[in-house]
């Protein structure tokens, strides 16, 4: 089989080339004269970056997962396991500032027009999702050209409360941490799909659609995705703290933001806060911890793993064991001052009291109602962690 090559663009400028190697790996090579890092794992002082087996994890984590992966593979007639093949067809608009295209000397593939395959664009994540644009009072799938400033996230066939859950989780998290700490979102109808979705504003795009650098922690750590998508769980929360210390333009501030966020994730029952749910975002000051996203009360679903997604102190921690002493100790071990840890707990106690109306069940809802069960999980976690 012929070895394939892709042009690698950074903010739509040719930055280098990605080539398959004879040993079934891949090699990224910077273009002559290029001096800017396109990613934490690709320092430009080193001109070539090789990965021995398969697609380099940085690019692998740009590829779609789950429902969108199935859609895109089917429409493009690409083998579902072929990450590079999918990115060559859909990688013109990836999350972040890096994109892929066929070299000029290779004839372009037939244009993809099916709206639910996000032609020319891709977004990672297991959940059913599409890139969308505003259309009157609702939204519609984005075409292959033009802006695509929003991500629509839908319910799955198995769980019909995902949209409601994430909307409530984000709203409560924003009330506790502050609105600027959480991605902007709304609920709206998406035509063609004909469903109501959680619409998330992309913070990796500027006001005029300009691409901003955004890297998740799985990319930064070069964690292979794995056939079962388990690579994003193969790490510790201490690793995220180390990333912030090394790459953030404001390490002390972002370390505290990360710590506060992790506590709130434990309070809201979010056991799925894995490496891809923490990212560094380009700002005028440099790379900073991005707003929170993909926040979900997973503890509400029977059969879902009730352990935190990453390890703490070298071990997996059950949600019920994530208590105040453990999380205080974690804050100190990642280098936060005692006064910062104490202040965090004090602030969160005050904010969860203010946020209580958001998760107050409707008067007509029974004891097994969604909001009732959601509130019970949060209330128990607040008692366990904050003593509130």
């Amino acid at each position: 089989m012929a070895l394939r090559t892709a042009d690698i663009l950074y903010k739509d400028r040719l930055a280098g080339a990605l080539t398959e190697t004879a040993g079934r790996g891949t090699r990224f090579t910077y273009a002559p004269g290029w001096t800017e890092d396109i990613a934490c794992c690709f320092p430009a002082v080193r001109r070539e970056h090789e990965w021995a087996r398969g697609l380099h994890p940085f690019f692998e984590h740009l590829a779609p997962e789950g429902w969108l992966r199935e859609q895109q593979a089917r429409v493009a007639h690409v083998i579902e396991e072929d990450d590079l093949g999918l990115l060559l067809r859909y990688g013109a608009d990836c999350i972040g500032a890096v994109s892929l295209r066929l070299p000029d000397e290779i004839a372009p593939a037939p244009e993809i027009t099916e709206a639910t395959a996000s032609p020319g664009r891709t977004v990672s994540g297991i959940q059913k999702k599409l890139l969308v644009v505003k259309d009157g009072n609702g939204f519609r799938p984005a075409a292959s050209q033009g802006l695509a400033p929003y991500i629509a996230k839908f319910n799955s066939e198995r769980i019909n409360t995902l949209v409601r859950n994430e909307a409530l989780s984000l709203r409560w998290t924003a009330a506790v941490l502050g609105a600027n700490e959480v991605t902007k979102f709304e609920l709206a109808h998406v035509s063609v799909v004909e469903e109501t979705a959680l619409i998330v504003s992309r913070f990796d795009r500027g006001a005029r659609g300009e691409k901003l650098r955004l890297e998740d922690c799985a990319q930064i750590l070069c964690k292979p995705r794995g056939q079962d998508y388990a690579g994003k769980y193969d790490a510790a929360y201490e690793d995220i703290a180390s990333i912030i210390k090394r790459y953030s333009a404001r390490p002390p501030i972002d370390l505290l933001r990360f710590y506060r966020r992790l506590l709130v994730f434990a309070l809201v029952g979010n056991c799925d806060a894995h490496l891809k749910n923490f990212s560094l975002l380009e700002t005028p000051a440099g790379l900073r911890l991005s707003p929170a996203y993909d926040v979900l009360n997973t503890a509400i679903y029977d059969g879902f793993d009730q352990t935190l997604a990453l390890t703490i102190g070298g071990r997996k921690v059950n949600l019920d064991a994530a208590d105040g002493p453990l999380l205080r100790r974690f804050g100190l071990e990642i280098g936060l001052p005692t006064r910062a840890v104490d202040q965090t707990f004090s602030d969160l106690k005050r904010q969860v009291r203010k946020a209580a109306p958001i998760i107050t069940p409707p008067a007509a809802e029974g004891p097994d109602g969604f909001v009732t069960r959601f509130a019970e999980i949060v209330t128990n976690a607040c008692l366990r962690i904050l003593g509130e």
Side-chain angles (χ1 to χ4, degrees):
M1 186 175 69
L3 300 177
R4 295 171 294 180
T5 298
D7 286 343
I8 300 301
L9 283 71
Y10 181 75
K11 300 184 179 180
D12 296 324
R13 295 177 290 136
L14 182 64
L18 178 69
T19 307
E20 291 182 314
T21 63
R24 297 184 180 276
T26 44
R27 179 187 300 113
F28 168 65
T29 306
Y30 275 109
W34 187 275
T35 59
E36 185 178 0
D37 296 353
I38 69 166
C40 295
C41 63
F42 294 141
V45 292
R46 180 176 156 200
R47 307 308 293 172
E48 292 190 355
H49 301 265
E50 189 160 338
W51 193 257
R53 299 290 293 180
L55 185 61
H56 190 287
F58 175 84
F59 299 106
E60 193 177 45
H61 284 291
L62 293 177
E65 303 169 51
W67 178 86
L68 184 57
R69 188 183 192 89
E70 295 172 4
Q71 288 282 105
Q72 293 191 335
R74 176 184 58 80
V75 172
H77 305 290
V78 174
I79 297 172
E80 198 172 314
E81 292 74 27
D82 183 5
D83 288 295
L84 182 55
L86 287 168
L87 288 172
L88 286 171
R89 297 302 307 275
Y90 297 95
D93 182 13
C94 300
I95 296 298
V98 174
S99 56
L100 293 83
R101 72 179 183 195
L102 285 167
D104 291 338
E105 63 271 17
I106 298 178
E111 184 180 359
I112 292 171
T113 58
E114 188 166 325
T116 56
S118 278
R121 310 176 190 273
T122 196
V123 56
S124 63
I126 293 292
Q127 188 177 353
K128 180 179 178 181
K129 61 182 68 172
L130 286 173
L131 291 165
V132 297
V133 295
K134 197 147 185 68
D135 184 21
N137 293 326
F139 292 80
R140 58 177 169 80
S144 60
Q145 301 296 321
L147 302 181
Y150 305 98
I151 300 171
K153 306 176 73 175
F154 302 90
N155 289 322
S156 70
E157 291 183 3
R158 191 171 62 89
I159 305 176
N160 63 6
T161 57
L162 286 177
V163 170
R164 184 183 186 187
N165 187 330
E166 187 165 0
L168 185 57
S169 298
L170 285 170
R171 188 179 169 208
W172 188 83
T173 299
V176 175
L177 288 179
N180 291 335
E181 287 296 301
V182 176
T183 184
K184 294 180 174 61
F185 65 96
E186 62 181 290
L187 295 174
H189 181 264
V190 178
S191 63
V192 181
V193 184
E194 301 301 343
E195 292 181 32
T196 296
L198 179 78
I199 308 296
V200 178
S201 298
R202 291 178 65 175
F203 46 71
D204 66 325
R205 294 294 180 264
R208 296 178 299 278
E210 61 271 26
K211 295 180 177 180
L212 301 177
R213 181 174 168 183
L214 180 72
E215 301 170 55
D216 66 50
C217 288
Q219 292 177 302
I220 295 170
L221 291 175
C222 294
K223 289 289 183 180
R225 189 198 65 218
Q227 290 187 342
D228 55 358
Y229 300 97
K232 59 192 175 186
Y233 299 100
D234 181 23
Y237 286 113
E238 289 88 346
D239 293 326
I240 297 176
S242 296
I243 286 171
I244 291 170
K245 292 176 185 177
R246 180 173 180 182
Y247 294 110
S248 169
R250 301 286 188 271
I253 296 172
D254 281 346
L255 192 65
L256 182 57
R257 291 173 64 214
F258 161 65
Y259 179 63
R260 290 167 58 88
R261 189 173 302 176
L262 184 59
L263 262 64
V264 169
F265 286 174
L267 293 174
V268 82
N270 180 18
C271 296
D272 201 37
H274 50 68
L275 287 174
K276 291 186 69 63
N277 288 346
F278 296 92
S279 294
L280 295 184
L281 173 66
E282 176 187 353
T283 73
L287 292 177
R288 299 292 308 276
L289 183 67
S290 79
Y293 57 95
D294 289 355
V295 184
L296 197 72
N297 180 339
T298 61
I300 203 170
Y301 298 119
D302 293 335
F304 198 95
D305 190 349
Q306 298 295 304
T307 57
L308 300 185
L310 307 181
T311 62
I312 292 179
R315 64 184 179 90
K316 279 285 197 178
V317 177
N318 190 276
L319 182 62
D320 288 341
D323 56 15
L326 181 141
L327 293 169
R328 283 180 180 275
R329 187 163 60 249
F330 171 77
L332 299 174
E333 288 175 351
I334 63 174
L336 291 174
T338 300
R339 66 180 181 279
V341 172
D342 291 342
Q343 188 64 50
T344 294
F345 274 75
S346 177
D347 290 345
L348 293 182
K349 285 181 181 181
R350 182 173 62 254
Q351 292 306 118
V352 297
R353 292 188 202 116
K354 292 181 180 179
I358 293 172
I359 56 173
T360 299
E365 185 175 277
D368 294 325
F370 180 83
V371 181
T372 299
R373 290 183 289 121
F374 189 107
E376 182 180 3
I377 290 166
V378 174
T379 300
N380 289 341
C382 289
L383 285 170
R384 184 179 69 250
I385 296 171
L386 303 177
E388 279 288 304

Short mmCIF file of all heavy atoms in Angstrom, two decimals, residues 109-128:
data_model
loop_
_atom_site.label_atom_id
_atom_site.label_comp_id
_atom_site.label_asym_id
_atom_site.label_seq_id
_atom_site.Cartn_x
_atom_site.Cartn_y
_atom_site.Cartn_z
N ALA A 109 -10.50 14.27 -3.33
CA ALA A 109 -11.54 13.25 -3.27
C ALA A 109 -12.89 13.88 -3.59
O ALA A 109 -13.04 15.11 -3.51
CB ALA A 109 -11.56 12.63 -1.87
N PRO A 110 -13.88 13.08 -3.95
CA PRO A 110 -15.21 13.63 -4.24
C PRO A 110 -15.75 14.42 -3.04
O PRO A 110 -15.55 14.04 -1.90
CB PRO A 110 -16.05 12.38 -4.52
CG PRO A 110 -15.06 11.35 -4.93
CD PRO A 110 -13.82 11.62 -4.16
N GLU A 111 -16.43 15.52 -3.34
CA GLU A 111 -16.96 16.37 -2.27
C GLU A 111 -18.05 15.64 -1.49
O GLU A 111 -18.87 14.92 -2.05
CB GLU A 111 -17.56 17.65 -2.87
CG GLU A 111 -18.06 18.62 -1.82
CD GLU A 111 -18.64 19.88 -2.42
OE1 GLU A 111 -18.65 20.00 -3.66
OE2 GLU A 111 -19.10 20.74 -1.64
N ILE A 112 -18.01 15.81 -0.18
CA ILE A 112 -19.03 15.24 0.70
C ILE A 112 -20.06 16.30 1.00
O ILE A 112 -19.73 17.42 1.41
CB ILE A 112 -18.38 14.71 1.99
CG1 ILE A 112 -17.51 13.48 1.67
CG2 ILE A 112 -19.44 14.34 3.03
CD1 ILE A 112 -16.66 13.02 2.82
N THR A 113 -21.31 15.97 0.79
CA THR A 113 -22.38 16.95 0.98
C THR A 113 -23.38 16.56 2.06
O THR A 113 -24.23 17.36 2.43
CB THR A 113 -23.15 17.16 -0.35
OG1 THR A 113 -23.68 15.90 -0.78
CG2 THR A 113 -22.22 17.71 -1.43
N GLU A 114 -23.32 15.33 2.58
CA GLU A 114 -24.29 14.90 3.57
C GLU A 114 -24.09 15.70 4.85
O GLU A 114 -23.04 15.63 5.51
CB GLU A 114 -24.13 13.40 3.85
CG GLU A 114 -25.24 12.85 4.73
CD GLU A 114 -25.29 11.32 4.71
OE1 GLU A 114 -25.01 10.72 3.67
OE2 GLU A 114 -25.62 10.76 5.77
N ALA A 115 -25.12 16.44 5.26
CA ALA A 115 -25.01 17.40 6.35
C ALA A 115 -24.64 16.75 7.67
O ALA A 115 -23.87 17.32 8.46
CB ALA A 115 -26.32 18.17 6.50
N THR A 116 -25.17 15.57 7.95
CA THR A 116 -24.92 14.94 9.24
C THR A 116 -23.56 14.27 9.32
O THR A 116 -23.25 13.63 10.33
CB THR A 116 -26.02 13.91 9.56
OG1 THR A 116 -26.09 12.95 8.51
CG2 THR A 116 -27.36 14.59 9.75
N ALA A 117 -22.72 14.43 8.30
CA ALA A 117 -21.35 13.94 8.37
C ALA A 117 -20.37 15.07 8.61
O ALA A 117 -19.16 14.85 8.64
CB ALA A 117 -20.98 13.22 7.07
N SER A 118 -20.86 16.31 8.82
CA SER A 118 -20.00 17.48 9.00
C SER A 118 -18.94 17.55 7.91
O SER A 118 -17.75 17.39 8.16
CB SER A 118 -19.33 17.47 10.38
OG SER A 118 -20.18 17.95 11.38
N PRO A 119 -19.35 17.76 6.64
CA PRO A 119 -18.39 17.74 5.53
C PRO A 119 -17.24 18.72 5.75
O PRO A 119 -17.44 19.88 6.08
CB PRO A 119 -19.24 18.16 4.33
CG PRO A 119 -20.47 18.78 4.89
CD PRO A 119 -20.71 18.11 6.19
N GLY A 120 -16.01 18.20 5.58
CA GLY A 120 -14.82 19.03 5.70
C GLY A 120 -14.45 19.41 7.11
O GLY A 120 -13.50 20.17 7.33
N ARG A 121 -15.16 18.90 8.11
CA ARG A 121 -14.91 19.30 9.50
C ARG A 121 -14.99 18.08 10.41
O ARG A 121 -15.62 17.08 10.07
CB ARG A 121 -15.95 20.31 9.96
CG ARG A 121 -16.17 21.49 9.01
CD ARG A 121 -17.29 22.36 9.52
NE ARG A 121 -17.71 23.37 8.58
CZ ARG A 121 -17.16 24.58 8.45
NH1 ARG A 121 -16.15 24.90 9.22
NH2 ARG A 121 -17.62 25.45 7.58
N THR A 122 -14.36 18.19 11.56
CA THR A 122 -14.48 17.09 12.50
C THR A 122 -14.36 17.61 13.93
O THR A 122 -13.82 18.69 14.17
CB THR A 122 -13.42 16.00 12.23
OG1 THR A 122 -13.79 14.80 12.91
CG2 THR A 122 -12.03 16.43 12.69
N VAL A 123 -14.88 16.82 14.86
CA VAL A 123 -14.82 17.16 16.28
C VAL A 123 -14.76 15.85 17.05
O VAL A 123 -15.46 14.89 16.71
CB VAL A 123 -16.04 18.02 16.70
CG1 VAL A 123 -17.35 17.34 16.37
CG2 VAL A 123 -15.99 18.36 18.18
N SER A 124 -13.90 15.78 18.05
CA SER A 124 -13.73 14.53 18.79
C SER A 124 -14.78 14.40 19.87
O SER A 124 -15.51 15.34 20.19
CB SER A 124 -12.33 14.46 19.41
OG SER A 124 -12.15 15.50 20.35
N GLY A 125 -14.86 13.19 20.45
CA GLY A 125 -15.82 12.92 21.52
C GLY A 125 -16.76 11.80 21.15
O GLY A 125 -17.17 11.67 20.00
N ILE A 126 -17.11 10.98 22.14
CA ILE A 126 -17.97 9.81 21.92
C ILE A 126 -19.41 10.22 21.66
O ILE A 126 -20.12 9.62 20.85
CB ILE A 126 -17.89 8.87 23.14
CG1 ILE A 126 -16.49 8.24 23.24
CG2 ILE A 126 -18.94 7.78 23.04
CD1 ILE A 126 -16.15 7.27 22.14
N GLN A 127 -19.88 11.26 22.34
CA GLN A 127 -21.28 11.65 22.26
C GLN A 127 -21.66 12.07 20.84
O GLN A 127 -20.84 12.60 20.09
CB GLN A 127 -21.56 12.80 23.23
CG GLN A 127 -23.02 13.18 23.37
CD GLN A 127 -23.24 14.28 24.40
OE1 GLN A 127 -22.31 14.68 25.10
NE2 GLN A 127 -24.45 14.78 24.50
N LYS A 128 -22.91 11.87 20.48
CA LYS A 128 -23.42 12.32 19.19
C LYS A 128 -23.33 13.84 19.13
O LYS A 128 -23.91 14.54 19.95
CB LYS A 128 -24.88 11.88 19.02
CG LYS A 128 -25.53 12.29 17.72
CD LYS A 128 -26.96 11.79 17.65
CE LYS A 128 -27.65 12.22 16.37
NZ LYS A 128 -29.08 11.76 16.31
#
